[in-house]
Amino acid sequence: NNTGLRLFRQAKPAIDPRRRKAARHRAAGRRISALVLIAASAILAACDDAPPEDFVSTPSTAFTDHESTAIGQQIAQLARQHPGKSGFEIIRYGRPAFTARIALTDLAEKSLDVQYYIWQADPTGRIFADRLVRAADRGVRVRLLLDDINLGGRDAILAAVNAHPNIEIRLFNPFARRKLRGLDFLLDMGRVNHRMHNKMMIADNSIALVGGRNIGDHYFQVHPDSNFRDLDIGTIGPVVREISSVFDRFWNGEWSVPVEAIVESPVTEDDMREAVATMRSRIANDTYPHPLDLDVQELHEQFDGVLEGMHWANGQIVWDDPSKILEYTGSGEMFEALHEKIGTLEKELRIESAYFVSLDRGIEAARSLRDRGVRVSLLTNSLVANDVLAAHAGYAKRRKDLLEAGVEIYELRPDPGPVDQKIISMKAQSALHTKAIVFDRKDVFIGSYNLDPRSAAINTEAGIYVESPEIAAKVIDYMDEGIDPHNAYRVSLDDQGDLKWTIELGDEVIEYEKDPKSSWWQRLVAWFIQILPVEHQL
């Protein structure tokens, strides 16, 4: 302690200055040596945690006889009325989005293929996991593919659930050092920096949900403190088989590791039942804000009408091959496809993107669209609403350039507007997590892809592209709700060319000269990140 240190210093005899200097050098050398030894020991210890490289991964593919199940037969009858097309519908809000996922676990007879970037250990995550187990208990084969980025400390529970005879869990690009993950970023950055950002769920190879939502309270608007605005698209018909093929490509690749390969000892089915019992006990003690069982029952009763109300159109899954993680190419398939599509626009481009980091090529594209008379509108997060400060810094660095290039910019307010208050029924902070684009009010993209360098070149992404003015109109209505002055700031330039933010509170119009509701510290950190050479990592 400090008192002991002072007493020790007072008791030391006088030392010649030259001897004191030599002693300091020797002490510094010993400290460096000690640090090297500690680091070496940590690295060696971490290496002991590395999973075996010769793990066995049994290939499997999507359920093929998709017309043999009850849901498959019903959808096949509808699909025959629309040859070559698929059915689509968007899911705007968190409550119906989670209800849809739970309903699919109930309806599935043969298979559930589930792929997510984040799965939180919260009430939503536990409920969804329990429903997958219940489906597996009925004989449904469950394949669960998770990115490993947020699974630290959860190997045991994953391995326990994986012990179910009808459940298999794989981790995408797992960290080798299970207990010292930070070392992987230091020693293996080129590999672990690449993540699987995809979000999709497929039931019986007949119906699929794709979009921006991960699994967790924040994504379904039930968290008491902060919630995301997000968007999913549900689909039936031929495009579902394409989505299943994408899932199989990720599932069977060398980058997806069975969870049993990363745990130290085998797990039994008894361990699984004990873990599930513990999980269900926690669920019983959780307080969920919606009557989920009643919601699911209502959706089941309305399911025929939901299917018949789908909009049939040409559509496809747009995705990055997981081999993208093996090397840095500068951009992926999705980036090039979307950029090519933007070049064909004639009237309007509407974008809603949680993280929007535009590099030189993006600014040039915006100017080109402006010069051709194409309106470009963007809704993204404000500084206080953004949950990733570095991403906001990358966006803010080019914000003025975007405005000068003719882009209309709106930033979501952190305080929920009237719409969010009605949906959430609680005073929680709002944030944007949507990734959606509407092209010329005719075509739509909804998925996991943010318009930033990380989505373009580092992570894998997936989304649905639909050629449907009807779906486009629904997404535009959703976007208009987001940019409503009660829900978003309008960002523009004043007469001096400086940024200003405008909102409406009732009949009152308020202007800000700095990022609204932000602290000087938030602005300082964002500014500091802007001057760092990290733009291509954001």
Side-chain angles (χ1 to χ4, degrees), residues 90-119:
I90 66 169
I91 307 177
R92 295 187 182 207
Y93 307 123
R95 182 172 176 175
F98 192 53
T99 301
R101 285 162 171 80
I102 300 304
L104 287 185
T105 66
D106 292 346
L107 290 169
E109 296 178 29
K110 296 294 184 179
S111 68
L112 285 165
D113 292 333
V114 182
Q115 181 179 11
Y116 282 101
Y117 174 61
I118 292 175
W119 192 301

Side-chain angles (χ1 to χ4, degrees), residues 214-234:
N214 293 297
I215 303 302
D217 290 351
H218 298 280
Y219 303 97
F220 298 97
Q221 295 176 310
V222 294
H223 196 280
D225 299 322
S226 62
N227 288 286
F228 288 119
R229 168 185 166 86
D230 217 328
L231 191 64
D232 289 319
I233 186 166

Side-chain angles (χ1 to χ4, degrees), residues 383 388-399 499 514-515 518-535 538:
L383 172 56
V388 181
L389 191 57
H392 181 85
Y395 151 71
K397 185 175 182 178
R398 303 297 184 96
R399 183 164 44 190
L499 293 170
K514 299 176 181 177
D515 290 276
S518 64
S519 67
W520 68 268
W521 175 251
Q522 289 172 310
R523 295 192 296 272
L524 177 63
V525 173
W527 169 83
F528 180 73
I529 296 173
Q530 288 181 42
I531 65 176
L532 296 176
V534 296
E535 200 169 29
L538 302 177

Side-chain angles (χ1 to χ4, degrees), residues 262-274:
I262 64 163
V263 294
E264 297 177 353
S265 57
V267 181
T268 67
E269 194 168 340
D270 287 340
D271 296 323
M272 182 271 296
R273 290 301 171 192
E274 182 179 350

Side-chain angles (χ1 to χ4, degrees), residues 454-469:
R454 177 159 289 276
S455 286
I458 299 175
N459 293 341
T460 70
E461 308 287 351
I464 297 292
Y465 175 78
V466 187
E467 299 174 354
S468 168

Side-chain angles (χ1 to χ4, degrees), residues 236-248:
I236 58 177
V239 74
V240 177
R241 263 65 73 196
E242 296 178 18
I243 298 169
S244 290
S245 295
V246 173
F247 181 92
D248 286 347

Side-chain angles (χ1 to χ4, degrees), residues 183-367:
L183 277 179
D184 269 18
F185 279 108
L186 291 175
L187 303 177
D188 199 9
M189 179 71 170
R191 178 182 69 85
V192 300
N193 189 38
H194 296 273
R195 308 315 316 173
M196 180 195 76
H197 200 232
N198 310 28
K199 295 107 174 168
M200 61 177 66
M201 178 182 182
I202 313 153
D204 287 344
N205 203 5
S206 295
I207 185 166
L209 295 176
V210 179
R213 291 183 174 96
N214 293 297
I215 303 302
D217 290 351
H218 298 280
Y219 303 97
F220 298 97
Q221 295 176 310
V222 294
H223 196 280
D225 299 322
S226 62
N227 288 286
F228 288 119
R229 168 185 166 86
D230 217 328
L231 191 64
D232 289 319
I233 186 166
T235 183
I236 58 177
V239 74
V240 177
R241 263 65 73 196
E242 296 178 18
I243 298 169
S244 290
S245 295
V246 173
F247 181 92
D248 286 347
R249 170 64 173 154
F250 277 83
W251 181 259
N252 293 311
E254 61 187 271
W255 35 78
S256 297
V257 179
V259 73
E260 61 265 25
I262 64 163
V263 294
E264 297 177 353
S265 57
V267 181
T268 67
E269 194 168 340
D270 287 340
D271 296 323
M272 182 271 296
R273 290 301 171 192
E274 182 179 350
V276 170
T278 300
M279 178 174 65
R280 287 174 179 167
S281 176
R282 293 199 64 183
I283 291 171
N285 291 322
D286 287 334
T287 301
Y288 210 72
H290 304 315
L292 185 60
D293 289 336
L294 291 177
D295 285 355
V296 172
Q297 180 182 346
E298 184 178 350
L299 180 56
H300 285 319
E301 293 170 353
Q302 299 172 350
F303 195 68
D304 291 351
V306 170
L307 293 181
E308 291 171 3
M310 296 285 248
H311 300 275
W312 291 83
N314 293 321
Q316 66 184 88
I317 178 79
V318 186
W319 59 292
D320 288 317
D321 193 277
S323 61
K324 174 183 179 180
I325 74 168
L326 300 178
E327 60 182 28
Y328 179 83
T329 60
S331 62
E333 293 92 333
M334 291 189 66
F335 173 84
E336 296 301 333
L338 292 173
H339 195 273
E340 182 178 348
K341 175 63 181 178
I342 287 172
T344 69
L345 295 181
E346 298 178 352
K347 297 180 180 179
E348 185 180 62
L349 176 64
R350 297 286 299 271
I351 299 169
E352 187 163 324
S353 182
Y355 315 123
F356 187 90
V357 181
S358 185
L359 303 181
D360 291 340
R361 187 175 177 183
I363 301 297
E364 292 171 5
R367 291 195 187 101

